[in-house]
Amino acid sequence: MSLLRTNNLTKKFGGLTAVSKFAMDIKEMEIVGLIGPNGAGKTTVFNMLTGVYKPTKGSIFFDGRDITGIKSHEVTKLGIARTFQNIRLFKELSVLDNVLVANHLRLKSNILFSVLRTPNYIRQEKHMYEKSMELLKEVGLDDVKDEMASSLPYGKQRRLEIARALATDPKILLLDEPAAGMNPQESFELMEFIHDIRDKFDLTIFMIEHHMQVVMGVCEKIYVLDHGVTIAEGTPKEIQNDEKVIEAYLGVD
């Protein structure tokens, strides 16, 4: 079943077309990659999908609903979560508090209930704590829950950012270059981790990544952008052997 689909998705900035007529179809539980040279329009696609940018043309359908142009917080409530190329954590908060903050998206009490400490609010607060601890355990960070986010090694900061995204109860997780800055061992662990969270949380995953070993190792389908235009789509094997993709990455003599 199709979970996230775009049709003729286009974004222009003045006279520059950053993305042109992008069409994709992601099914439930798939791990899909979006690759291309720097400046190809990959992050612009993510920004349209998550409500940061309003498309100039085209449509976005999520779980059977047209979500074109809706605001970012509404997109998140519907079940689309994302991470960023540059890690965006609350670095002066603890690891646990970073995840607790994200849980407030689903909180049904208002600020008055929190001030009055009503029984219902206390129950929800307890549930948020237990859920956050479970998420930290799932991503291997429960033993550092009280440490400042800024003190974590780079690979663990990535995991924390993903845990925070998972706290919003997404149906699909958008990962923007999750392997950026990782060493080979961390990249290998990330590949296992992505497969693991897909299966544990029944997630669909859509990822931008430059690290070809990671892309080819985890993705079941790949879309390739070059100067905002889709030049290829297919399985990892098909993409590896596509002449247009090779030319876009390596150039021609």
Side-chain angles (χ1 to χ4, degrees), residues 118-130:
T118 64
N120 182 55
Y121 181 84
I122 292 172
R123 281 193 298 270
Q124 290 189 63
E125 192 175 50
K126 181 173 182 289
H127 173 71
M128 284 194 302
Y129 176 83
E130 292 171 348

Side-chain angles (χ1 to χ4, degrees), residues 111-153:
I111 191 169
L112 178 62
F113 293 158
S114 68
V115 171
L116 296 177
R117 306 290 296 169
T118 64
N120 182 55
Y121 181 84
I122 292 172
R123 281 193 298 270
Q124 290 189 63
E125 192 175 50
K126 181 173 182 289
H127 173 71
M128 284 194 302
Y129 176 83
E130 292 171 348
K131 177 184 172 184
S132 297
M133 285 302 302
E134 183 62 30
L135 282 172
L136 290 176
K137 184 177 180 181
E138 292 288 357
V139 302
L141 296 177
D142 54 314
D143 59 334
V144 293
K145 68 181 179 68
D146 295 321
E147 293 187 20
M148 291 294 174
S150 58
S151 71
L152 295 181

Side-chain angles (χ1 to χ4, degrees), residues 148-213:
M148 291 294 174
S150 58
S151 71
L152 295 181
Y154 192 84
K156 288 188 176 183
Q157 287 192 28
R158 283 285 180 195
R159 287 185 176 232
L160 176 56
E161 191 180 35
I162 291 172
R164 191 176 62 182
L166 292 173
T168 66
D169 296 328
K171 297 177 183 177
I172 185 169
L173 180 60
L174 276 56
L175 303 176
D176 193 346
E177 296 197 36
M182 290 188 176
N183 61 42
Q185 179 59 33
E186 288 172 331
S187 297
F188 177 76
E189 291 172 356
L190 176 70
M191 291 164 63
E192 292 187 326
F193 178 65
I194 289 172
H195 274 127
D196 196 33
I197 60 172
R198 189 270 299 269
D199 296 337
K200 283 183 178 178
F201 295 94
D202 294 328
L203 275 176
T204 304
I205 296 175
F206 185 34
M207 60 187 290
I208 295 172
E209 186 52 68
H210 281 293
H211 195 307
M212 287 299 101
Q213 184 180 3

Side-chain angles (χ1 to χ4, degrees), residues 3-232:
L3 181 65
L4 182 61
R5 179 169 59 87
T6 66
N7 179 44
N8 199 36
L9 199 62
T10 300
K11 181 62 181 177
K12 295 183 179 182
F13 297 98
L16 172 67
T17 301
V19 176
S20 179
K21 300 179 181 178
F22 181 67
M24 69 171 189
D25 191 341
I26 300 177
K27 294 178 172 51
E28 292 180 352
M29 296 288 288
E30 276 190 319
I31 301 177
V32 178
L34 179 63
I35 67 173
N38 288 330
K42 304 181 297 297
T43 298
T44 300
V45 169
F46 265 33
N47 285 339
M48 287 190 284
L49 295 176
T50 55
V52 177
Y53 294 157
K54 184 176 181 179
T56 306
K57 293 181 182 178
S59 304
I60 304 168
F61 295 91
F62 176 65
D63 206 14
R65 172 178 174 176
D66 188 342
I67 64 166
T68 311
I70 72 172
K71 295 179 180 179
S72 293
H73 70 277
E74 295 171 330
V75 170
T76 305
K77 283 186 176 181
L78 288 174
I80 300 177
R82 74 174 289 184
T83 64
F84 293 85
Q85 181 179 351
N86 299 315
I87 296 174
R88 298 185 185 182
L89 296 172
F90 298 109
K91 294 194 174 183
E92 300 309 312
L93 293 182
S94 71
V95 169
L96 175 59
D97 284 341
N98 265 273
V99 181
L100 283 169
V101 166
N103 270 288
H104 279 80
L105 177 75
R106 306 295 179 188
L107 191 64
K108 293 182 173 62
S109 299
N110 58 34
I111 191 169
L112 178 62
F113 293 158
S114 68
V115 171
L116 296 177
R117 306 290 296 169
T118 64
N120 182 55
Y121 181 84
I122 292 172
R123 281 193 298 270
Q124 290 189 63
E125 192 175 50
K126 181 173 182 289
H127 173 71
M128 284 194 302
Y129 176 83
E130 292 171 348
K131 177 184 172 184
S132 297
M133 285 302 302
E134 183 62 30
L135 282 172
L136 290 176
K137 184 177 180 181
E138 292 288 357
V139 302
L141 296 177
D142 54 314
D143 59 334
V144 293
K145 68 181 179 68
D146 295 321
E147 293 187 20
M148 291 294 174
S150 58
S151 71
L152 295 181
Y154 192 84
K156 288 188 176 183
Q157 287 192 28
R158 283 285 180 195
R159 287 185 176 232
L160 176 56
E161 191 180 35
I162 291 172
R164 191 176 62 182
L166 292 173
T168 66
D169 296 328
K171 297 177 183 177
I172 185 169
L173 180 60
L174 276 56
L175 303 176
D176 193 346
E177 296 197 36
M182 290 188 176
N183 61 42
Q185 179 59 33
E186 288 172 331
S187 297
F188 177 76
E189 291 172 356
L190 176 70
M191 291 164 63
E192 292 187 326
F193 178 65
I194 289 172
H195 274 127
D196 196 33
I197 60 172
R198 189 270 299 269
D199 296 337
K200 283 183 178 178
F201 295 94
D202 294 328
L203 275 176
T204 304
I205 296 175
F206 185 34
M207 60 187 290
I208 295 172
E209 186 52 68
H210 281 293
H211 195 307
M212 287 299 101
Q213 184 180 3
V214 172
V215 172
M216 299 301 169
V218 301
C219 293
E220 297 145 352
K221 182 167 63 178
I222 299 170
Y223 292 88
V224 188
L225 283 179
D226 187 24
H227 294 94
V229 177
T230 304
I231 60 171

